[in-house]
Amino acid sequence: ALIFFLFYRSEKVLLIFLIITVLENTTKFLLLKSKKRRERIMVLGENGKTEKIREAVRIDKNYNYIGYLTDTDKDDETCLGSYDDLQKIVNTYKVTR
């Protein structure tokens, strides 16, 4: 009877441990999923097609539109600079796409 009691008790402890572990991991997963980072988007070029892309990116909540690059710098708040500054701009604005 004593062996059965010890086995039964350790089985309960194991079951409780597994339930706590599953709940903890599920909670972590749900928290990370809810805090999904938005992609930081930069568009290369400026013409009719890129304007449509920029508007689509601005509407989508999964993306954060950073700005665009052109051949030459423009006096526009969303123009980040020229193609020559590509690497510096990607690092500065932490562009992901």
Side-chain angles (χ1 to χ4, degrees):
L2 180 62
I3 294 173
F4 177 74
F5 175 74
L6 291 175
F7 176 74
Y8 179 73
R9 187 171 180 222
S10 64
E11 190 176 278
K12 271 184 140 178
V13 170
L14 181 62
L15 181 62
I16 291 171
F17 174 75
L18 288 174
I19 290 171
I20 290 172
T21 303
V22 168
L23 288 175
E24 184 179 62
N25 288 334
T26 304
T27 304
K28 284 180 185 178
F29 173 76
L30 291 174
L31 286 173
L32 287 175
K33 187 176 178 183
S34 69
K35 293 182 179 181
K36 183 181 174 186
R37 298 180 78 194
R38 293 173 37 179
E39 295 283 341
R40 296 175 61 83
I41 304 293
M42 175 179 64
V43 176
L44 300 177
E46 181 185 36
N47 61 34
K49 290 180 184 178
T50 56
E51 182 61 34
K52 289 179 184 178
I53 292 170
R54 286 197 300 264
E55 289 306 314
V57 168
R58 285 181 180 156
I59 292 170
D60 193 333
K61 300 294 184 211
N62 294 318
Y63 300 105
N64 184 12
Y65 176 72
I66 303 300
Y68 69 95
L69 295 180
T70 61
D71 294 341
T72 58
D73 285 335
K74 293 198 171 194
D75 191 22
D76 179 1
E77 66 182 40
T78 59
C79 180
L80 302 174
S82 67
Y83 297 129
D84 297 332
D85 303 325
L86 177 64
Q87 189 61 47
K88 184 178 89 174
I89 291 169
V90 167
N91 292 334
T92 302
Y93 290 94
K94 296 177 177 59
V95 176
T96 57
R97 288 191 182 216

